[in-house]
Amino acid sequence: DETWEAIFDLLGRPWFSRLWILQEIQLGNRYSVMQCGQDVVEWRLFRRAISSLNDKKDGPSREMRTRMGPINSMCWVRSAESLTALLNMARRRKCSEDHDKVYAILGLIPHQIL
């Protein structure tokens, strides 16, 4: 129970709701890491863990699955996504300045669309 609560609290941090995180995740490489306090985990391992938890029939509570949903959807490479799909994903993300949304989305648009 303590572990599930810790995971739930971690996934509830505002960091996961920010738009710029999409760029970091999508444009990162195999050496990318996620750090929380003194704890560090390779992004690829974190992504695999979220995906595995999301796929389990028994395990995460409904509340946990609700919290994991948006995180799971941003974990996978979107280079082949359409502009519409990127706009829909960005719409649900928070950003301090409106013009920063434009730059964040531009950084994720596949070169074929430009």
Side-chain angles (χ1 to χ4, degrees), residues 13-89:
R13 289 178 174 254
W15 185 84
F16 287 103
S17 66
R18 305 298 296 167
L19 179 57
W20 59 269
I21 296 307
L22 285 176
Q23 269 195 342
E24 287 196 353
I25 291 168
Q26 298 302 312
L27 302 177
N29 61 32
R30 63 186 179 130
Y31 302 109
S32 297
V33 298
M34 187 176 78
Q35 181 170 351
C36 183
Q38 296 299 314
D39 297 315
V40 178
V41 65
E42 293 178 30
W43 175 254
R44 65 182 183 85
L45 297 177
F46 180 79
R47 180 181 64 207
R48 194 178 324 163
I50 291 295
S51 179
S52 294
L53 285 174
N54 196 52
D55 290 344
K56 288 197 174 294
K57 304 243 185 289
D58 298 329
S61 66
R62 180 176 297 170
E63 294 83 13
M64 176 73 81
R65 288 182 188 279
T66 299
R67 191 164 277 185
M68 283 184 344
I71 297 168
N72 189 50
S73 70
M74 75 178 184
C75 285
W76 302 103
V77 177
R78 303 280 183 201
S79 61
E81 290 281 354
S82 68
L83 178 57
T84 303
L86 287 171
L87 289 172
N88 282 331
M89 190 183 329

